[in-house]
Amino acid sequence: EAGVVQSPRYKIIEKKQPVAFWCNPISGHNTLYWYRQNLGQGPELLIRYENEEAVDDSQLPKDRFSAERLKGVDSTLKIQPAELGDSAVYLCASSLNAASAKNIQYFGAGTRLSVL
Amino acid sequence: KQEVTQIPAALSVPEGENLVLNCSFTDSAIYNLQWFRQDPGKGLTSLLLIQSSQREQTSGRLNASLDKSSGRSTLYIAASQPGDSATYLCAVGSGNTPLVFGKGTRLSVIA
């Protein structure tokens, strides 16, 4: 069974340009997460979806970041316009049931964004 | 606000050695604690999940313990191998609040 698939793996853009990341979660996983991981740091949650509903987006910089999860499956994360400080690895994860104490999150390989 | 600290930040050991990675957290009201492995340029792989009612979990050469009252967890790796070289991340879950990660311990096992 395929794991969490993300694309692209790498993206280099100039500041002020838009960029989008795509995630395909594990089949049947209702919960989808987007994290940002800066160099030398642990991942930090940007947004969490339960099916197609965003249930936690308190850490998402809404002035420039947006996300959607149409039909409760694939998701896209967009940045417009990108800033130098957005350079990081963007990780997508999925899980069966976020409310369970046994909830294991499965991560994709991530998209490494460099803003020049 | 939950804070997770991992010590040491980096560790280098010879092959075959047993080792311990440490994780501490400030708020003991947790659902679970997870240990992840991250290889360079890759995503995270879940190694062990300990529920708040449990004290330890084992998988192969890995053993993770949890002491909620003191806010500590350890990951014990027995008979280390070069293939164990990676960054190990500890993360604390508290119900519907986001997982809070430590900064990780970068492990190098030298052949």
Side-chain angles (χ1 to χ4, degrees), chain A residues 40-61:
Chain A
Q41 305 291 316
E44 294 182 333
L45 183 73
L46 292 173
I47 189 168
R48 173 168 68 97
Y49 282 92
E50 292 293 340
N51 299 304
E52 62 272 13
E53 181 182 0
V55 296
D56 185 354
D57 63 356
S58 57
Q59 302 301 312
L60 190 72

Side-chain angles (χ1 to χ4, degrees), chain B residues 23 25 30-35 48-50 66 73 90-93:
Chain B
C23 171
F25 47 95
I30 65 171
Y31 258 30
N32 57 41
L33 183 143
Q34 297 182 60
W35 284 94
L48 291 164
L49 181 150
I50 311 175
L66 174 64
S73 175
C90 165
V92 173

Side-chain angles (χ1 to χ4, degrees), chain A residues 9-70:
Chain A
R9 287 297 316 278
Y10 306 92
K11 191 73 178 179
I12 301 173
I13 61 172
E14 294 186 346
K15 63 180 181 182
K16 301 185 181 179
Q17 293 299 305
V19 64
F21 315 124
W22 175 82
C23 174
N24 178 240
I26 293 174
S27 178
H29 281 193
N30 298 324
T31 309
L32 183 145
Y33 313 77
W34 281 104
Y35 289 88
R36 177 168 58 189
Q37 185 176 24
N38 293 310
L39 190 64
Q41 305 291 316
E44 294 182 333
L45 183 73
L46 292 173
I47 189 168
R48 173 168 68 97
Y49 282 92
E50 292 293 340
N51 299 304
E52 62 272 13
E53 181 182 0
V55 296
D56 185 354
D57 63 356
S58 57
Q59 302 301 312
L60 190 72
K62 297 181 183 64
D63 57 336
R64 297 183 300 107
F65 286 64
S66 64
E68 60 182 9
R69 189 184 184 196
L70 299 177

